[in-house]
Amino acid sequence: MQTLTITTPDDWHLHFRDNEMLAETVPATARCFQRAIVMPNLVPPVVNAEMAVAYKGRIEAARPNGSSFEPLMTLFLTNQTTPQDIVEAKQAGVTACKLYPAGATTNSDAAVKGIQALYPVFQAMQEQGLLLLIHGEVTEHHIDIFDREKVFIDTHLGPIVDAFPRLKVVFEHITTADAASFVAGASEFVGATITPQHLLLNRNDLLVGGVRPHNYCLPVLKRNTHQKALRDMVASGNNKFFLGTDSAPHAKHKKENACGCAGCYSAWSAIELYAEVFEQLDAIDKLEGFASHYGADFYGLARNTTKMTLVKESWTVPEQVTLADGTDMVPFFAGQTLQWKLEKAFQA
């Protein structure tokens, strides 16, 4: 039996949601990740330090007994966010702020309209050392959905990086060769997360043979040439790219709907999905850097000191999971067989 032991990984982008969802989503992540950057797009969104501290408390209360999992909190930027909000967030231990263009994804209607209006906030973030996490898509209806990431780079991301050269920016869940190239060529203050779905799938997996709602996410899956560019980048071991699942749980009936929700609930098998990718790429030796080292380094945090062991053992992702209130959710890759399985986590 083959085994793979790596430093305990972190997830640098995920959604726990809130309330009854936490009893499912927090343990699913805490089974293998030491830390996670928690997205703030709740209803209402987490817009200040007080709300972030309260949300962190709810997450910690949902951890399994004895778990040392640490949620890293973020603020949801709006046009009402002030530099003083940034100072207070830093004092409260908030790690980063999230920029959603209004309407870009789930629960983002309250987000930013007119990104340049946030430049004083970005300046405060640069001064305070809070990271800027960006959902990098424009939302104008006349822009084709498959082009929105590239247009965002040209219209907004490039100018932000130029205007704030010492502001750490994470271009989250990148999906295109354009994004990979931009990050690779940018300064050491720019990094990116890549999800399992954008490494494993392309838009054929969403549309061929009928629409597959559980593969629908935003940014939407792109053509296979973009998928290849992302796969080539992680296989290269470039340390500007690191693990961020964008795990996004939704009730089954909200995904399988005439207007289905965007998001893939990948936490249930996240590290195994990434191992699948890296083995396909004949780059399993690069998994530890991507999953366990590069994100912590970019965020300026210590690497984890415990270890995780995966074994080469086939297993099948469940068809669905059921919340305590009876709500069903379909995990990403439901019913499919994976070749790597978590054996032990948090080993000394």
Side-chain angles (χ1 to χ4, degrees):
M1 179 183 294
Q2 290 179 256
T3 64
L4 175 66
T5 298
I6 63 172
T7 303
T8 300
D10 303 298
D11 188 343
W12 298 101
H13 179 152
L14 63 69
H15 302 263
F16 281 138
R17 310 302 185 203
D18 206 353
N19 303 319
E20 71 282 350
M21 280 257 189
L22 295 179
E24 158 64 26
T25 57
V26 174
T29 288
R31 77 186 182 98
C32 65
F33 292 112
Q34 181 64 64
R35 298 170 289 204
I37 286 284
V38 180
M39 291 295 103
N41 56 329
L42 306 182
V43 180
V46 178
V47 296
N48 58 45
E50 182 181 3
M51 295 177 76
V53 170
Y55 185 29
K56 182 177 183 179
R58 297 195 296 277
I59 294 168
E60 290 176 337
R63 292 180 299 192
N65 290 337
S67 172
S68 60
F69 170 75
E70 181 184 3
L72 303 175
M73 307 312 294
T74 61
L75 289 195
F76 183 104
L77 295 176
T78 74
N79 287 100
Q80 285 70 51
T81 304
T82 67
Q84 183 59 31
D85 290 325
I86 301 305
V87 172
E88 293 172 3
K90 178 68 173 182
Q91 292 171 345
V94 170
T95 300
C97 297
K98 181 63 181 279
L99 174 65
Y100 292 102
T105 190
T106 303
N107 300 337
S108 64
D109 291 344
V112 173
K113 299 175 182 177
I115 290 174
Q116 282 195 338
L118 267 289
Y119 274 29
V121 172
F122 298 160
Q123 178 63 35
M125 291 174 62
Q126 182 172 251
E127 293 168 357
Q128 294 294 321
L130 261 63
L131 284 81
L132 175 61
L133 317 181
I134 296 181
H135 181 120
E137 292 186 288
V138 296
T139 56
E140 290 86 350
H141 288 295
H142 69 281
I143 305 295
D144 189 283
I145 192 169
F146 293 105
D147 297 331
R148 290 181 177 186
E149 187 171 273
K150 182 182 186 306
V151 174
F152 186 91
I153 294 168
D154 297 338
T155 306
H156 299 296
L157 184 57
I160 290 171
V161 169
D162 289 343
F164 304 98
R166 300 192 68 79
L167 173 63
K168 282 192 173 181
V169 175
V170 181
F171 194 178
E172 298 204 296
H173 47 47
I174 64 169
T175 66
T176 60
D178 309 277
S181 177
F182 178 87
V183 173
S187 79
E188 64 188 271
F189 288 86
V190 180
T193 56
I194 307 181
T195 74
Q197 61 265 29
H198 292 110
L199 291 168
L200 285 163
L201 307 178
N202 58 64
R203 64 190 188 185
N204 282 354
D205 299 292
L206 175 64
L207 299 170
V208 172
V211 176
R212 302 181 189 184
H214 298 289
N215 290 345
Y216 173 53
C217 58
L218 288 172
V220 72
L221 298 170
K222 303 301 194 296
R223 65 169 65 243
N224 60 359
T225 52
H226 292 294
Q227 178 194 13
K228 182 179 185 302
L230 300 185
R231 288 166 68 92
D232 288 347
M233 191 60 74
V234 299
S236 76
N238 188 312
N239 66 2
K240 303 185 77 175
F241 300 84
F242 40 90
L243 186 156
T245 62
D246 194 20
S247 181
H250 292 283
K252 180 180 179 181
H253 71 272
K254 292 185 177 180
K255 290 286 289 179
E256 299 175 2
N257 191 286
C259 186
C261 295
C264 299
Y265 180 46
S266 57
W268 222 90
S269 54
I271 194 63
E272 294 93 339
L273 290 164
Y274 283 111
E276 195 92 357
V277 171
F278 279 82
E279 183 172 53
Q280 290 174 3
L281 296 171
D282 194 25
I284 199 73
D285 60 309
K286 301 296 197 305
L287 176 62
E288 183 174 36
F290 177 83
S292 310
H293 295 165
Y294 303 155
D297 295 348
F298 188 83
Y299 272 76
L301 299 173
R303 294 179 180 180
N304 297 321
T305 56
T306 57
K307 299 289 185 179
M308 160 191 291
T309 298
L310 299 161
V311 296
K312 194 72 179 295
E313 179 182 331
S314 298
W315 65 287
T316 302
V317 180
E319 294 284 356
Q320 63 184 36
V321 295
T322 302
L323 304 183
D325 66 357
T327 301
D328 291 329
M329 295 196 304
V330 177
F332 183 58
F333 254 50
Q336 298 190 55
T337 300
L338 297 177
Q339 303 304 315
W340 287 94
K341 186 175 184 179
L342 177 64
E343 181 183 57
K344 296 178 183 178
F346 310 108
Q347 303 162 256

